[in-house]
mmCIF file with all atom_site columns, all heavy atoms in Angstrom:
data_model
loop_
_atom_site.group_PDB
_atom_site.id
_atom_site.type_symbol
_atom_site.label_atom_id
_atom_site.label_alt_id
_atom_site.label_comp_id
_atom_site.label_asym_id
_atom_site.label_entity_id
_atom_site.label_seq_id
_atom_site.pdbx_PDB_ins_code
_atom_site.Cartn_x
_atom_site.Cartn_y
_atom_site.Cartn_z
_atom_site.occupancy
_atom_site.B_iso_or_equiv
_atom_site.pdbx_formal_charge
_atom_site.auth_seq_id
_atom_site.auth_comp_id
_atom_site.auth_asym_id
_atom_site.auth_atom_id
_atom_site.pdbx_PDB_model_num
ATOM 1   N N   . ALA I 1 1  ? 91.305  47.628 334.278 1.00 37.00 ? 1344 ALA I N   1
ATOM 2   C CA  . ALA I 1 1  ? 90.939  48.983 334.770 1.00 37.00 ? 1344 ALA I CA  1
ATOM 3   C C   . ALA I 1 1  ? 90.792  48.902 336.326 1.00 37.00 ? 1344 ALA I C   1
ATOM 4   O O   . ALA I 1 1  ? 90.573  47.855 336.897 1.00 37.00 ? 1344 ALA I O   1
ATOM 5   C CB  . ALA I 1 1  ? 89.659  49.480 334.140 1.00 37.00 ? 1344 ALA I CB  1
ATOM 6   N N   . ASN I 1 2  ? 90.768  50.053 336.949 1.00 39.00 ? 1345 ASN I N   1
ATOM 7   C CA  . ASN I 1 2  ? 90.688  50.114 338.387 1.00 39.00 ? 1345 ASN I CA  1
ATOM 8   C C   . ASN I 1 2  ? 89.218  50.163 338.836 1.00 39.00 ? 1345 ASN I C   1
ATOM 9   O O   . ASN I 1 2  ? 88.974  50.167 340.086 1.00 39.00 ? 1345 ASN I O   1
ATOM 10  C CB  . ASN I 1 2  ? 91.476  51.302 338.963 1.00 39.00 ? 1345 ASN I CB  1
ATOM 11  C CG  . ASN I 1 2  ? 92.995  51.009 338.863 1.00 39.00 ? 1345 ASN I CG  1
ATOM 12  O OD1 . ASN I 1 2  ? 93.535  50.406 339.760 1.00 39.00 ? 1345 ASN I OD1 1
ATOM 13  N ND2 . ASN I 1 2  ? 93.590  51.534 337.777 1.00 39.00 ? 1345 ASN I ND2 1
ATOM 14  N N   . ASN I 1 3  ? 88.279  50.306 337.976 1.00 41.00 ? 1346 ASN I N   1
ATOM 15  C CA  . ASN I 1 3  ? 86.877  50.327 338.361 1.00 41.00 ? 1346 ASN I CA  1
ATOM 16  C C   . ASN I 1 3  ? 86.555  51.321 339.439 1.00 41.00 ? 1346 ASN I C   1
ATOM 17  O O   . ASN I 1 3  ? 85.952  51.019 340.454 1.00 41.00 ? 1346 ASN I O   1
ATOM 18  C CB  . ASN I 1 3  ? 86.402  48.925 338.748 1.00 41.00 ? 1346 ASN I CB  1
ATOM 19  C CG  . ASN I 1 3  ? 86.479  47.989 337.633 1.00 41.00 ? 1346 ASN I CG  1
ATOM 20  O OD1 . ASN I 1 3  ? 86.221  48.311 336.523 1.00 41.00 ? 1346 ASN I OD1 1
ATOM 21  N ND2 . ASN I 1 3  ? 86.815  46.667 337.914 1.00 41.00 ? 1346 ASN I ND2 1
ATOM 22  N N   . ASN I 1 4  ? 87.054  52.539 339.245 1.00 44.00 ? 1347 ASN I N   1
ATOM 23  C CA  . ASN I 1 4  ? 86.822  53.630 340.182 1.00 44.00 ? 1347 ASN I CA  1
ATOM 24  C C   . ASN I 1 4  ? 87.579  53.534 341.441 1.00 44.00 ? 1347 ASN I C   1
ATOM 25  O O   . ASN I 1 4  ? 87.298  54.262 342.364 1.00 44.00 ? 1347 ASN I O   1
ATOM 26  C CB  . ASN I 1 4  ? 85.344  53.808 340.473 1.00 44.00 ? 1347 ASN I CB  1
ATOM 27  C CG  . ASN I 1 4  ? 84.557  54.560 339.397 1.00 44.00 ? 1347 ASN I CG  1
ATOM 28  O OD1 . ASN I 1 4  ? 85.161  54.730 338.264 1.00 44.00 ? 1347 ASN I OD1 1
ATOM 29  N ND2 . ASN I 1 4  ? 83.317  54.875 339.561 1.00 44.00 ? 1347 ASN I ND2 1
ATOM 30  N N   . GLY I 1 5  ? 88.502  52.589 341.516 1.00 51.00 ? 1348 GLY I N   1
ATOM 31  C CA  . GLY I 1 5  ? 89.458  52.601 342.645 1.00 51.00 ? 1348 GLY I CA  1
ATOM 32  C C   . GLY I 1 5  ? 90.512  53.596 342.375 1.00 51.00 ? 1348 GLY I C   1
ATOM 33  O O   . GLY I 1 5  ? 91.216  53.558 341.389 1.00 51.00 ? 1348 GLY I O   1
ATOM 34  N N   . ASN I 1 6  ? 90.702  54.608 343.229 1.00 57.00 ? 1349 ASN I N   1
ATOM 35  C CA  . ASN I 1 6  ? 91.620  55.627 342.958 1.00 57.00 ? 1349 ASN I CA  1
ATOM 36  C C   . ASN I 1 6  ? 93.004  55.123 342.887 1.00 57.00 ? 1349 ASN I C   1
ATOM 37  O O   . ASN I 1 6  ? 93.417  54.232 343.661 1.00 57.00 ? 1349 ASN I O   1
ATOM 38  C CB  . ASN I 1 6  ? 91.601  56.765 344.087 1.00 57.00 ? 1349 ASN I CB  1
ATOM 39  C CG  . ASN I 1 6  ? 90.211  57.372 344.198 1.00 57.00 ? 1349 ASN I CG  1
ATOM 40  O OD1 . ASN I 1 6  ? 89.472  57.369 343.221 1.00 57.00 ? 1349 ASN I OD1 1
ATOM 41  N ND2 . ASN I 1 6  ? 89.908  57.936 345.366 1.00 57.00 ? 1349 ASN I ND2 1
ATOM 42  N N   . ILE I 1 7  ? 93.812  55.591 341.920 1.00 71.00 ? 1350 ILE I N   1
ATOM 43  C CA  . ILE I 1 7  ? 95.183  55.139 341.745 1.00 71.00 ? 1350 ILE I CA  1
ATOM 44  C C   . ILE I 1 7  ? 96.093  56.283 342.212 1.00 71.00 ? 1350 ILE I C   1
ATOM 45  O O   . ILE I 1 7  ? 95.625  57.471 342.358 1.00 71.00 ? 1350 ILE I O   1
ATOM 46  C CB  . ILE I 1 7  ? 95.514  54.723 340.349 1.00 71.00 ? 1350 ILE I CB  1
ATOM 47  C CG1 . ILE I 1 7  ? 95.323  55.865 339.359 1.00 71.00 ? 1350 ILE I CG1 1
ATOM 48  C CG2 . ILE I 1 7  ? 94.679  53.567 339.884 1.00 71.00 ? 1350 ILE I CG2 1
ATOM 49  C CD1 . ILE I 1 7  ? 95.706  55.562 337.916 1.00 71.00 ? 1350 ILE I CD1 1
ATOM 50  N N   . SER I 1 8  ? 97.349  55.993 342.498 1.00 76.00 ? 1351 SER I N   1
ATOM 51  C CA  . SER I 1 8  ? 98.267  56.938 343.074 1.00 76.00 ? 1351 SER I CA  1
ATOM 52  C C   . SER I 1 8  ? 98.772  57.884 341.984 1.00 76.00 ? 1351 SER I C   1
ATOM 53  O O   . SER I 1 8  ? 99.917  57.619 341.478 1.00 76.00 ? 1351 SER I O   1
ATOM 54  C CB  . SER I 1 8  ? 99.369  56.262 343.807 1.00 76.00 ? 1351 SER I CB  1
ATOM 55  O OG  . SER I 1 8  ? 100.273 57.138 344.439 1.00 76.00 ? 1351 SER I OG  1
ATOM 56  N N   . VAL I 1 9  ? 97.989  58.914 341.617 1.00 83.00 ? 1352 VAL I N   1
ATOM 57  C CA  . VAL I 1 9  ? 98.459  59.856 340.645 1.00 83.00 ? 1352 VAL I CA  1
ATOM 58  C C   . VAL I 1 9  ? 98.180  61.263 341.197 1.00 83.00 ? 1352 VAL I C   1
ATOM 59  O O   . VAL I 1 9  ? 97.037  61.572 341.573 1.00 83.00 ? 1352 VAL I O   1
ATOM 60  C CB  . VAL I 1 9  ? 97.761  59.680 339.293 1.00 83.00 ? 1352 VAL I CB  1
ATOM 61  C CG1 . VAL I 1 9  ? 98.053  60.820 338.374 1.00 83.00 ? 1352 VAL I CG1 1
ATOM 62  C CG2 . VAL I 1 9  ? 98.140  58.384 338.652 1.00 83.00 ? 1352 VAL I CG2 1
ATOM 63  N N   . GLU I 1 10 ? 99.184  62.077 341.228 1.00 85.00 ? 1353 GLU I N   1
ATOM 64  C CA  . GLU I 1 10 ? 98.976  63.488 341.563 1.00 85.00 ? 1353 GLU I CA  1
ATOM 65  C C   . GLU I 1 10 ? 98.834  64.274 340.251 1.00 85.00 ? 1353 GLU I C   1
ATOM 66  O O   . GLU I 1 10 ? 99.790  64.465 339.486 1.00 85.00 ? 1353 GLU I O   1
ATOM 67  C CB  . GLU I 1 10 ? 100.181 64.087 342.331 1.00 85.00 ? 1353 GLU I CB  1
ATOM 68  C CG  . GLU I 1 10 ? 100.273 63.596 343.803 1.00 85.00 ? 1353 GLU I CG  1
ATOM 69  C CD  . GLU I 1 10 ? 101.389 64.375 344.531 1.00 85.00 ? 1353 GLU I CD  1
ATOM 70  O OE1 . GLU I 1 10 ? 101.156 65.588 344.746 1.00 85.00 ? 1353 GLU I OE1 1
ATOM 71  O OE2 . GLU I 1 10 ? 102.330 63.752 344.845 1.00 85.00 ? 1353 GLU I OE2 1
ATOM 72  N N   . MET I 1 11 ? 97.676  64.798 340.019 1.00 90.00 ? 1354 MET I N   1
ATOM 73  C CA  . MET I 1 11 ? 97.422  65.546 338.756 1.00 90.00 ? 1354 MET I CA  1
ATOM 74  C C   . MET I 1 11 ? 96.723  66.763 339.076 1.00 90.00 ? 1354 MET I C   1
ATOM 75  O O   . MET I 1 11 ? 95.818  66.838 339.951 1.00 90.00 ? 1354 MET I O   1
ATOM 76  C CB  . MET I 1 11 ? 96.551  64.659 337.764 1.00 90.00 ? 1354 MET I CB  1
ATOM 77  C CG  . MET I 1 11 ? 96.539  65.229 336.406 1.00 90.00 ? 1354 MET I CG  1
ATOM 78  S SD  . MET I 1 11 ? 95.473  64.245 335.315 1.00 90.00 ? 1354 MET I SD  1
ATOM 79  C CE  . MET I 1 11 ? 93.866  64.625 335.920 1.00 90.00 ? 1354 MET I CE  1
ATOM 80  N N   . SER I 1 12 ? 97.108  67.844 338.336 1.00 90.00 ? 1355 SER I N   1
ATOM 81  C CA  . SER I 1 12 ? 96.385  69.098 338.591 1.00 90.00 ? 1355 SER I CA  1
ATOM 82  C C   . SER I 1 12 ? 94.892  68.951 338.281 1.00 90.00 ? 1355 SER I C   1
ATOM 83  O O   . SER I 1 12 ? 94.442  68.372 337.318 1.00 90.00 ? 1355 SER I O   1
ATOM 84  C CB  . SER I 1 12 ? 97.001  70.157 337.558 1.00 90.00 ? 1355 SER I CB  1
ATOM 85  O OG  . SER I 1 12 ? 98.326  70.277 337.718 1.00 90.00 ? 1355 SER I OG  1
ATOM 86  N N   . PRO I 1 13 ? 94.051  69.498 339.174 1.00 91.00 ? 1356 PRO I N   1
ATOM 87  C CA  . PRO I 1 13 ? 92.542  69.329 338.979 1.00 91.00 ? 1356 PRO I CA  1
ATOM 88  C C   . PRO I 1 13 ? 92.116  70.040 337.763 1.00 91.00 ? 1356 PRO I C   1
ATOM 89  O O   . PRO I 1 13 ? 92.706  71.057 337.335 1.00 91.00 ? 1356 PRO I O   1
ATOM 90  C CB  . PRO I 1 13 ? 92.012  69.957 340.255 1.00 91.00 ? 1356 PRO I CB  1
ATOM 91  C CG  . PRO I 1 13 ? 93.068  70.849 340.813 1.00 91.00 ? 1356 PRO I CG  1
ATOM 92  C CD  . PRO I 1 13 ? 94.361  70.260 340.403 1.00 91.00 ? 1356 PRO I CD  1
ATOM 93  N N   . ILE I 1 14 ? 91.045  69.530 337.171 1.00 93.00 ? 1357 ILE I N   1
ATOM 94  C CA  . ILE I 1 14 ? 90.419  70.116 336.024 1.00 93.00 ? 1357 ILE I CA  1
ATOM 95  C C   . ILE I 1 14 ? 89.877  71.521 336.441 1.00 93.00 ? 1357 ILE I C   1
ATOM 96  O O   . ILE I 1 14 ? 89.228  71.606 337.450 1.00 93.00 ? 1357 ILE I O   1
ATOM 97  C CB  . ILE I 1 14 ? 89.330  69.228 335.451 1.00 93.00 ? 1357 ILE I CB  1
ATOM 98  C CG1 . ILE I 1 14 ? 90.014  67.899 334.966 1.00 93.00 ? 1357 ILE I CG1 1
ATOM 99  C CG2 . ILE I 1 14 ? 88.605  69.881 334.281 1.00 93.00 ? 1357 ILE I CG2 1
ATOM 100 C CD1 . ILE I 1 14 ? 89.001  66.808 334.762 1.00 93.00 ? 1357 ILE I CD1 1
ATOM 101 N N   . ASN I 1 15 ? 90.103  72.542 335.617 1.00 90.00 ? 1358 ASN I N   1
ATOM 102 C CA  . ASN I 1 15 ? 89.677  73.867 336.033 1.00 90.00 ? 1358 ASN I CA  1
ATOM 103 C C   . ASN I 1 15 ? 89.160  74.614 334.796 1.00 90.00 ? 1358 ASN I C   1
ATOM 104 O O   . ASN I 1 15 ? 89.220  74.135 333.674 1.00 90.00 ? 1358 ASN I O   1
ATOM 105 C CB  . ASN I 1 15 ? 90.860  74.632 336.718 1.00 90.00 ? 1358 ASN I CB  1
ATOM 106 C CG  . ASN I 1 15 ? 92.070  74.765 335.794 1.00 90.00 ? 1358 ASN I CG  1
ATOM 107 O OD1 . ASN I 1 15 ? 92.015  75.505 334.833 1.00 90.00 ? 1358 ASN I OD1 1
ATOM 108 N ND2 . ASN I 1 15 ? 93.131  74.014 336.172 1.00 90.00 ? 1358 ASN I ND2 1
ATOM 109 N N   . LYS I 1 16 ? 88.811  75.896 334.999 1.00 90.00 ? 1359 LYS I N   1
ATOM 110 C CA  . LYS I 1 16 ? 88.178  76.721 333.959 1.00 90.00 ? 1359 LYS I CA  1
ATOM 111 C C   . LYS I 1 16 ? 89.122  77.031 332.814 1.00 90.00 ? 1359 LYS I C   1
ATOM 112 O O   . LYS I 1 16 ? 88.723  77.403 331.702 1.00 90.00 ? 1359 LYS I O   1
ATOM 113 C CB  . LYS I 1 16 ? 87.661  78.017 334.538 1.00 90.00 ? 1359 LYS I CB  1
ATOM 114 C CG  . LYS I 1 16 ? 88.707  78.898 335.199 1.00 90.00 ? 1359 LYS I CG  1
ATOM 115 C CD  . LYS I 1 16 ? 88.061  80.188 335.741 1.00 90.00 ? 1359 LYS I CD  1
ATOM 116 C CE  . LYS I 1 16 ? 89.137  81.079 336.413 1.00 90.00 ? 1359 LYS I CE  1
ATOM 117 N NZ  . LYS I 1 16 ? 90.177  81.466 335.454 1.00 90.00 ? 1359 LYS I NZ  1
ATOM 118 N N   . ASP I 1 17 ? 90.412  76.917 333.075 1.00 90.00 ? 1360 ASP I N   1
ATOM 119 C CA  . ASP I 1 17 ? 91.435  77.257 332.044 1.00 90.00 ? 1360 ASP I CA  1
ATOM 120 C C   . ASP I 1 17 ? 91.719  76.003 331.135 1.00 90.00 ? 1360 ASP I C   1
ATOM 121 O O   . ASP I 1 17 ? 92.378  76.157 330.124 1.00 90.00 ? 1360 ASP I O   1
ATOM 122 C CB  . ASP I 1 17 ? 92.738  77.655 332.652 1.00 90.00 ? 1360 ASP I CB  1
ATOM 123 C CG  . ASP I 1 17 ? 92.554  79.022 333.385 1.00 90.00 ? 1360 ASP I CG  1
ATOM 124 O OD1 . ASP I 1 17 ? 91.818  79.879 332.885 1.00 90.00 ? 1360 ASP I OD1 1
ATOM 125 O OD2 . ASP I 1 17 ? 93.232  79.249 334.397 1.00 90.00 ? 1360 ASP I OD2 1
ATOM 126 N N   . ASP I 1 18 ? 91.174  74.878 331.468 1.00 96.00 ? 1361 ASP I N   1
ATOM 127 C CA  . ASP I 1 18 ? 91.333  73.694 330.658 1.00 96.00 ? 1361 ASP I CA  1
ATOM 128 C C   . ASP I 1 18 ? 90.466  73.777 329.345 1.00 96.00 ? 1361 ASP I C   1
ATOM 129 O O   . ASP I 1 18 ? 89.415  74.420 329.367 1.00 96.00 ? 1361 ASP I O   1
ATOM 130 C CB  . ASP I 1 18 ? 90.935  72.395 331.375 1.00 96.00 ? 1361 ASP I CB  1
ATOM 131 C CG  . ASP I 1 18 ? 92.120  71.921 332.254 1.00 96.00 ? 1361 ASP I CG  1
ATOM 132 O OD1 . ASP I 1 18 ? 93.262  71.837 331.782 1.00 96.00 ? 1361 ASP I OD1 1
ATOM 133 O OD2 . ASP I 1 18 ? 91.881  71.535 333.448 1.00 96.00 ? 1361 ASP I OD2 1
ATOM 134 N N   . HIS I 1 19 ? 90.955  73.065 328.328 1.00 97.00 ? 1362 HIS I N   1
ATOM 135 C CA  . HIS I 1 19 ? 90.199  72.970 327.071 1.00 97.00 ? 1362 HIS I CA  1
ATOM 136 C C   . HIS I 1 19 ? 89.480  71.664 327.063 1.00 97.00 ? 1362 HIS I C   1
ATOM 137 O O   . HIS I 1 19 ? 90.108  70.550 327.032 1.00 97.00 ? 1362 HIS I O   1
ATOM 138 C CB  . HIS I 1 19 ? 91.211  73.081 325.901 1.00 97.00 ? 1362 HIS I CB  1
ATOM 139 C CG  . HIS I 1 19 ? 91.972  74.357 325.907 1.00 97.00 ? 1362 HIS I CG  1
ATOM 140 N ND1 . HIS I 1 19 ? 91.353  75.587 325.725 1.00 97.00 ? 1362 HIS I ND1 1
ATOM 141 C CD2 . HIS I 1 19 ? 93.306  74.552 326.047 1.00 97.00 ? 1362 HIS I CD2 1
ATOM 142 C CE1 . HIS I 1 19 ? 92.269  76.526 325.749 1.00 97.00 ? 1362 HIS I CE1 1
ATOM 143 N NE2 . HIS I 1 19 ? 93.450  75.972 325.938 1.00 97.00 ? 1362 HIS I NE2 1
ATOM 144 N N   . ILE I 1 20 ? 88.148  71.739 327.051 1.00 97.00 ? 1363 ILE I N   1
ATOM 145 C CA  . ILE I 1 20 ? 87.339  70.545 327.206 1.00 97.00 ? 1363 ILE I CA  1
ATOM 146 C C   . ILE I 1 20 ? 86.338  70.460 325.981 1.00 97.00 ? 1363 ILE I C   1
ATOM 147 O O   . ILE I 1 20 ? 85.888  71.460 325.541 1.00 97.00 ? 1363 ILE I O   1
ATOM 148 C CB  . ILE I 1 20 ? 86.563  70.529 328.532 1.00 97.00 ? 1363 ILE I CB  1
ATOM 149 C CG1 . ILE I 1 20 ? 85.827  69.200 328.785 1.00 97.00 ? 1363 ILE I CG1 1
ATOM 150 C CG2 . ILE I 1 20 ? 85.628  71.662 328.671 1.00 97.00 ? 1363 ILE I CG2 1
ATOM 151 C CD1 . ILE I 1 20 ? 85.368  68.963 330.173 1.00 97.00 ? 1363 ILE I CD1 1
ATOM 152 N N   . VAL I 1 21 ? 86.128  69.264 325.516 1.00 96.00 ? 1364 VAL I N   1
ATOM 153 C CA  . VAL I 1 21 ? 85.162  69.049 324.465 1.00 96.00 ? 1364 VAL I CA  1
ATOM 154 C C   . VAL I 1 21 ? 84.333  67.783 324.778 1.00 96.00 ? 1364 VAL I C   1
ATOM 155 O O   . VAL I 1 21 ? 84.763  66.930 325.528 1.00 96.00 ? 1364 VAL I O   1
ATOM 156 C CB  . VAL I 1 21 ? 85.811  68.790 323.105 1.00 96.00 ? 1364 VAL I CB  1
ATOM 157 C CG1 . VAL I 1 21 ? 86.645  67.487 323.047 1.00 96.00 ? 1364 VAL I CG1 1
ATOM 158 C CG2 . VAL I 1 21 ? 84.844  68.915 321.947 1.00 96.00 ? 1364 VAL I CG2 1
ATOM 159 N N   . GLY I 1 22 ? 83.072  67.839 324.313 1.00 93.00 ? 1365 GLY I N   1
ATOM 160 C CA  . GLY I 1 22 ? 82.144  66.775 324.718 1.00 93.00 ? 1365 GLY I CA  1
ATOM 161 C C   . GLY I 1 22 ? 81.204  67.297 325.794 1.00 93.00 ? 1365 GLY I C   1
ATOM 162 O O   . GLY I 1 22 ? 81.046  68.497 326.036 1.00 93.00 ? 1365 GLY I O   1
ATOM 163 N N   . ASN I 1 23 ? 80.399  66.392 326.385 1.00 89.00 ? 1366 ASN I N   1
ATOM 164 C CA  . ASN I 1 23 ? 79.410  66.763 327.368 1.00 89.00 ? 1366 ASN I CA  1
ATOM 165 C C   . ASN I 1 23 ? 80.113  67.304 328.690 1.00 89.00 ? 1366 ASN I C   1
ATOM 166 O O   . ASN I 1 23 ? 80.820  66.570 329.286 1.00 89.00 ? 1366 ASN I O   1
ATOM 167 C CB  . ASN I 1 23 ? 78.617  65.500 327.699 1.00 89.00 ? 1366 ASN I CB  1
ATOM 168 C CG  . ASN I 1 23 ? 77.571  65.743 328.800 1.00 89.00 ? 1366 ASN I CG  1
ATOM 169 O OD1 . ASN I 1 23 ? 77.364  66.858 329.211 1.00 89.00 ? 1366 ASN I OD1 1
ATOM 170 N ND2 . ASN I 1 23 ? 76.950  64.676 329.230 1.00 89.00 ? 1366 ASN I ND2 1
ATOM 171 N N   . PRO I 1 24 ? 79.901  68.558 328.989 1.00 82.00 ? 1367 PRO I N   1
ATOM 172 C CA  . PRO I 1 24 ? 80.561  69.174 330.095 1.00 82.00 ? 1367 PRO I CA  1
ATOM 173 C C   . PRO I 1 24 ? 80.137  68.556 331.448 1.00 82.00 ? 1367 PRO I C   1
ATOM 174 O O   . PRO I 1 24 ? 80.793  68.634 332.488 1.00 82.00 ? 1367 PRO I O   1
ATOM 175 C CB  . PRO I 1 24 ? 80.262  70.676 330.025 1.00 82.00 ? 1367 PRO I CB  1
ATOM 176 C CG  . PRO I 1 24 ? 78.941  70.657 329.281 1.00 82.00 ? 1367 PRO I CG  1
ATOM 177 C CD  . PRO I 1 24 ? 79.072  69.546 328.268 1.00 82.00 ? 1367 PRO I CD  1
ATOM 178 N N   . ASN I 1 25 ? 78.953  67.845 331.422 1.00 87.00 ? 1368 ASN I N   1
ATOM 179 C CA  . ASN I 1 25 ? 78.451  67.181 332.619 1.00 87.00 ? 1368 ASN I CA  1
ATOM 180 C C   . ASN I 1 25 ? 78.699  65.646 332.553 1.00 87.00 ? 1368 ASN I C   1
ATOM 181 O O   . ASN I 1 25 ? 78.072  64.933 333.338 1.00 87.00 ? 1368 ASN I O   1
ATOM 182 C CB  . ASN I 1 25 ? 76.945  67.462 332.698 1.00 87.00 ? 1368 ASN I CB  1
ATOM 183 C CG  . ASN I 1 25 ? 76.612  68.953 332.843 1.00 87.00 ? 1368 ASN I CG  1
ATOM 184 O OD1 . ASN I 1 25 ? 77.274  69.663 333.598 1.00 87.00 ? 1368 ASN I OD1 1
ATOM 185 N ND2 . ASN I 1 25 ? 75.679  69.454 332.126 1.00 87.00 ? 1368 ASN I ND2 1
ATOM 186 N N   . ALA I 1 26 ? 79.566  65.262 331.734 1.00 93.00 ? 1369 ALA I N   1
ATOM 187 C CA  . ALA I 1 26 ? 79.896  63.798 331.557 1.00 93.00 ? 1369 ALA I CA  1
ATOM 188 C C   . ALA I 1 26 ? 80.444  63.231 332.845 1.00 93.00 ? 1369 ALA I C   1
ATOM 189 O O   . ALA I 1 26 ? 81.125  63.945 333.611 1.00 93.00 ? 1369 ALA I O   1
ATOM 190 C CB  . ALA I 1 26 ? 80.854  63.608 330.442 1.00 93.00 ? 1369 ALA I CB  1
ATOM 191 N N   . LYS I 1 27 ? 80.054  62.011 333.076 1.00 92.00 ? 1370 LYS I N   1
ATOM 192 C CA  . LYS I 1 27 ? 80.512  61.304 334.283 1.00 92.00 ? 1370 LYS I CA  1
ATOM 193 C C   . LYS I 1 27 ? 81.996  61.079 334.243 1.00 92.00 ? 1370 LYS I C   1
ATOM 194 O O   . LYS I 1 27 ? 82.784  61.187 335.250 1.00 92.00 ? 1370 LYS I O   1
ATOM 195 C CB  . LYS I 1 27 ? 79.838  59.968 334.439 1.00 92.00 ? 1370 LYS I CB  1
ATOM 196 C CG  . LYS I 1 27 ? 80.367  59.067 335.569 1.00 92.00 ? 1370 LYS I CG  1
ATOM 197 C CD  . LYS I 1 27 ? 79.700  57.713 335.549 1.00 92.00 ? 1370 LYS I CD  1
ATOM 198 C CE  . LYS I 1 27 ? 80.346  56.846 336.648 1.00 92.00 ? 1370 LYS I CE  1
ATOM 199 N NZ  . LYS I 1 27 ? 79.771  55.438 336.675 1.00 92.00 ? 1370 LYS I NZ  1
ATOM 200 N N   . ILE I 1 28 ? 82.557  60.772 333.015 1.00 96.00 ? 1371 ILE I N   1
ATOM 201 C CA  . ILE I 1 28 ? 83.917  60.410 332.812 1.00 96.00 ? 1371 ILE I CA  1
ATOM 202 C C   . ILE I 1 28 ? 84.680  61.483 332.054 1.00 96.00 ? 1371 ILE I C   1
ATOM 203 O O   . ILE I 1 28 ? 84.153  61.984 331.014 1.00 96.00 ? 1371 ILE I O   1
ATOM 204 C CB  . ILE I 1 28 ? 84.040  59.082 332.081 1.00 96.00 ? 1371 ILE I CB  1
ATOM 205 C CG1 . ILE I 1 28 ? 83.386  57.906 332.834 1.00 96.00 ? 1371 ILE I CG1 1
ATOM 206 C CG2 . ILE I 1 28 ? 85.525  58.754 331.822 1.00 96.00 ? 1371 ILE I CG2 1
ATOM 207 C CD1 . ILE I 1 28 ? 83.285  56.627 332.071 1.00 96.00 ? 1371 ILE I CD1 1
ATOM 208 N N   . ILE I 1 29 ? 85.828  61.968 332.529 1.00 97.00 ? 1372 ILE I N   1
ATOM 209 C CA  . ILE I 1 29 ? 86.619  62.886 331.780 1.00 97.00 ? 1372 ILE I CA  1
ATOM 210 C C   . ILE I 1 29 ? 87.954  62.241 331.532 1.00 97.00 ? 1372 ILE I C   1
ATOM 211 O O   . ILE I 1 29 ? 88.606  61.728 332.414 1.00 97.00 ? 1372 ILE I O   1
ATOM 212 C CB  . ILE I 1 29 ? 86.758  64.191 332.606 1.00 97.00 ? 1372 ILE I CB  1
ATOM 213 C CG1 . ILE I 1 29 ? 85.407  64.850 332.808 1.00 97.00 ? 1372 ILE I CG1 1
ATOM 214 C CG2 . ILE I 1 29 ? 87.729  65.171 331.797 1.00 97.00 ? 1372 ILE I CG2 1
ATOM 215 C CD1 . ILE I 1 29 ? 85.469  66.143 333.627 1.00 97.00 ? 1372 ILE I CD1 1
ATOM 216 N N   . ILE I 1 30 ? 88.318  62.313 330.287 1.00 98.00 ? 1373 ILE I N   1
ATOM 217 C CA  . ILE I 1 30 ? 89.700  61.830 329.903 1.00 98.00 ? 1373 ILE I CA  1
ATOM 218 C C   . ILE I 1 30 ? 90.634  63.029 329.771 1.00 98.00 ? 1373 ILE I C   1
ATOM 219 O O   . ILE I 1 30 ? 90.393  63.907 328.887 1.00 98.00 ? 1373 ILE I O   1
ATOM 220 C CB  . ILE I 1 30 ? 89.706  61.029 328.609 1.00 98.00 ? 1373 ILE I CB  1
ATOM 221 C CG1 . ILE I 1 30 ? 88.805  59.746 328.836 1.00 98.00 ? 1373 ILE I CG1 1
ATOM 222 C CG2 . ILE I 1 30 ? 91.083  60.604 328.209 1.00 98.00 ? 1373 ILE I CG2 1
ATOM 223 C CD1 . ILE I 1 30 ? 88.633  58.899 327.549 1.00 98.00 ? 1373 ILE I CD1 1
ATOM 224 N N   . VAL I 1 31 ? 91.685  63.130 330.555 1.00 98.00 ? 1374 VAL I N   1
ATOM 225 C CA  . VAL I 1 31 ? 92.644  64.168 330.470 1.00 98.00 ? 1374 VAL I CA  1
ATOM 226 C C   . VAL I 1 31 ? 93.850  63.677 329.738 1.00 98.00 ? 1374 VAL I C   1
ATOM 227 O O   . VAL I 1 31 ? 94.539  62.753 330.143 1.00 98.00 ? 1374 VAL I O   1
ATOM 228 C CB  . VAL I 1 31 ? 93.048  64.692 331.861 1.00 98.00 ? 1374 VAL I CB  1
ATOM 229 C CG1 . VAL I 1 31 ? 94.116  65.782 331.752 1.00 98.00 ? 1374 VAL I CG1 1
ATOM 230 C CG2 . VAL I 1 31 ? 91.856  65.206 332.645 1.00 98.00 ? 1374 VAL I CG2 1
ATOM 231 N N   . GLU I 1 32 ? 94.076  64.282 328.565 1.00 98.00 ? 1375 GLU I N   1
ATOM 232 C CA  . GLU I 1 32 ? 95.219  63.857 327.740 1.00 98.00 ? 1375 GLU I CA  1
ATOM 233 C C   . GLU I 1 32 ? 96.360  64.854 327.696 1.00 98.00 ? 1375 GLU I C   1
ATOM 234 O O   . GLU I 1 32 ? 96.127  66.080 327.546 1.00 98.00 ? 1375 GLU I O   1
ATOM 235 C CB  . GLU I 1 32 ? 94.748  63.665 326.290 1.00 98.00 ? 1375 GLU I CB  1
ATOM 236 C CG  . GLU I 1 32 ? 95.882  63.157 325.340 1.00 98.00 ? 1375 GLU I CG  1
ATOM 237 C CD  . GLU I 1 32 ? 95.567  63.298 323.861 1.00 98.00 ? 1375 GLU I CD  1
ATOM 238 O OE1 . GLU I 1 32 ? 94.484  63.902 323.553 1.00 98.00 ? 1375 GLU I OE1 1
ATOM 239 O OE2 . GLU I 1 32 ? 96.378  62.975 323.096 1.00 98.00 ? 1375 GLU I OE2 1
#
């Protein structure tokens, strides 16, 4: 893993239209 070292990925930022489950204040978000 990169241990919080940013990797070169251009991804649409998480926004209000996304479908999210789990703790909304979680430190880690997995976008699938």
Side-chain angles (χ1 to χ4, degrees):
N1345 287 278
N1346 295 325
N1347 282 7
N1349 299 338
I1350 62 178
S1351 181
V1352 172
E1353 284 189 72
M1354 192 182 71
S1355 304
I1357 298 165
N1358 59 69
K1359 63 180 179 59
D1360 293 325
D1361 275 313
H1362 301 295
I1363 188 167
V1364 68
N1366 178 8
N1368 299 315
K1370 174 185 176 181
I1371 300 170
I1372 299 177
I1373 297 177
V1374 179
E1375 179 196 5

